[in-house]
Every structure is written in C-alpha cells, then in structure tokens.
Amino acid sequence: MKFRVEPFLWLAFSGGGVMAAIFLPVLAFLFALAFPLGWLDPPDHAHLAAVVGHPITFLVLFGAFVMMLVHAAHRFRFTLYDGLQVKHRFLVAAVCYGGAFLGTFVALHMLGSAT
Amino acid sequence: MTGEAMERSATDTDLHYRRTPPVFWWTRKPSYFVFVMRELSSLFIAWLVLYLLLFVRAVGRGETAYADFLDWAASPWLVVLNVVAFAFVVLHTVTWFSLTPQAMVLQVGGRRVPPRAIIGAQYAALAVVSAFVLWLVTR
C-alpha cells in the first residue's frame, strides 16, 4: 500500500481544531483582552512566572500550540488554493507547512526561555 | 468566450477541462461569506499563538518585561487586532463544535449518539477548561 501523508495532515488539522476551539477562547480573552485592558487584575509576575515555568505547562502549551499551528497552516492552504484560486499547489503547501514548522521552533524557544 | 478558450474546450473533451471560478465568488451569498470567514479564522489562530508565545517570553524575562508587555498589549491598534482575533476564535469554536457530529459518528450500545449530545459535551469541555485556566492563572 502506498504511504500517503494527506490523512495525517487531516488528523493533525482535526486535533489542532479541537485544541483551538477549547483552549483559545479563554486564553485570548484573559491574556489579550481582560488583563491588558484591566477588566480583571493581571496576576502577579511571580505567580505567572511559576505557572509558565512549570514543566507540565510547557508540555501542554507546546503540544497545543504546535497542533494549532498545523491546523491553521492546513486550513489556510485550502483558503489560498480554493478561496483565492492560487493554483501553485507546491508553493502554497510549502509556505503554509513551512510557516507551521518555523512556528514550532519559535514555540520551543519562547516556551523554553520561560522555564 | 475567447478564441483560445473555445479552442481549448473544443479539443479537451476529456475530464481535465475546468472552468475557473471568479476570485470573488464568495461575496455573492451570505452563506459563502460565512464559510470564507470561518476559513480565515486560521490566520487569527496563528496570530494568537504567536501573541501568547510573546506573552510567555515576556513573563520569563522578568517583572519589568511583563509590565511593559501589558502596556504594549493595551495600545489601540493591538486591542483592535485582538478584538477581531477573539471574534474569529469564537466563530471557529462555534462552527467547529457544530460540525463535529457530522464529521464523527459515535455509537454507544449500538445506537448513534445524538448530535446534540456531542455538541453539548464539547461546550461542557470548553466550560471546564476555561474555569480551570481562570483558576490556575488568578488564584
């Protein structure tokens, strides 16, 4: 049987879609809106540093963020291909998945810097 | 139809001939528009991942960097971007939850789990995760 990568991309797309649907609303609301705008008191630095410095937080955030990036790359690939009719199939895939791949290293570096 | 196109459609009687839809086909109907907005949520999900990574990095760099990041995050253009991004995330969550029962058919004891139960379970998971994150961050 011929090995095909496409089913695994769809699996990662689904996993990342679930992660984004469940984790992102609360994270975006708290960290992008409520804390910067003072709707809720921002947590002390010491407490937040302890939370993001914990190995479990690192693993959960790294896993969730990478899946979300692959999800976004996969969906944006079809937005370019079907929505905007950019028919350079290989280039579109390379830019989208390449972006997610780069994002994985950025995530590793930034999450690692806080532990 | 241009001469070239006529020639092509006349010679290509096989299944490879395709008509190219116009670039702005998705502005013609509200349902197409919502579909494209849902697809565009990917860009905002990628942005929020990057934003949260920058947030974590600022926390790791110390108290001053954290305070500076919160000030930067309250600047008007960033607030506008994040409000739009949050709206797209909500659109993603709602559409994702409602599509799940169509993508995944669950059977329990030989009977199909009703779509409403699957959607409800996802909102319950969303509530539990949100409450846990809020507790962990603000306790």
Side-chain angles (χ1 to χ4, degrees):
Chain A
M1 202 174 102
K2 196 185 164 203
F3 177 78
R4 299 184 75 95
V5 74
E6 203 76 357
F8 293 96
L9 290 173
W10 281 103
L11 192 68
F13 167 76
S14 304
V18 172
M19 287 292 156
I22 288 182
F23 279 92
L24 267 191
V26 65
L27 292 177
F29 177 77
L30 290 178
F31 293 103
L33 298 172
F35 295 146
L37 295 175
W39 298 345
L40 290 172
D41 286 335
D44 333 321
H45 176 260
H47 174 65
L48 213 50
V51 171
V52 297
H54 198 281
I56 293 178
T57 313
F58 173 86
L59 284 177
V60 171
L61 286 183
F62 182 68
F65 285 166
V66 169
M67 285 169 86
M68 288 179 207
L69 288 174
V70 175
H71 164 87
H74 192 67
R75 185 169 250 183
F76 193 59
R77 178 183 153 206
F78 287 100
T79 306
L80 290 178
Y81 193 72
D82 295 327
L84 293 177
Q85 305 289 320
V86 182
K87 294 297 181 191
H88 303 282
R89 194 181 274 273
F90 180 78
L91 183 70
V92 165
V95 166
C96 291
Y97 299 123
F101 193 67
L102 189 70
T104 301
F105 282 97
V106 172
L108 198 60
H109 173 70
M110 289 196 182
L111 293 173
S113 76
T115 51
Chain B
M1 207 187 247
T2 64
E4 196 195 341
M6 275 170 77
E7 194 182 341
R8 204 170 51 209
S9 64
T11 53
D12 286 8
T13 45
D14 62 354
L15 296 172
H16 293 292
Y17 176 71
R18 284 195 207 150
R19 239 169 20 127
T20 316
V23 170
F24 291 100
W25 59 267
W26 47 275
T27 54
R28 291 185 180 169
K29 270 192 186 178
S31 58
Y32 295 169
F33 182 74
V34 171
F35 163 74
V36 169
M37 288 300 108
R38 190 191 80 197
E39 296 304 298
L40 277 183
S41 67
S42 63
L43 283 181
F44 294 94
I45 286 173
W47 156 248
L48 284 171
V49 169
L50 179 66
Y51 172 87
L52 290 168
L53 286 171
L54 290 170
F55 199 112
V56 170
R57 186 178 68 160
V59 171
R61 284 184 170 176
E63 205 161 350
T64 321
Y66 172 53
D68 288 348
F69 187 90
L70 285 176
D71 284 344
W72 176 68
S75 55
W77 66 269
L78 205 54
V79 171
V80 170
L81 174 61
N82 282 337
V83 166
V84 172
F86 180 70
F88 271 95
V89 165
V90 171
L91 178 69
H92 167 77
T93 297
V94 172
T95 54
W96 191 268
F97 284 177
S98 59
L99 277 176
T100 303
Q102 294 174 41
M104 186 179 70
V105 175
L106 277 185
Q107 302 253 353
V108 173
R111 285 192 186 179
R112 186 178 171 181
V113 176
R116 203 183 285 177
I118 296 178
I119 294 173
Q122 293 179 104
Y123 278 103
L126 175 72
V128 169
V129 167
S130 301
F132 175 76
V133 171
L134 183 66
W135 169 80
L136 183 69
V137 167
T138 59
R139 76 193 159 121

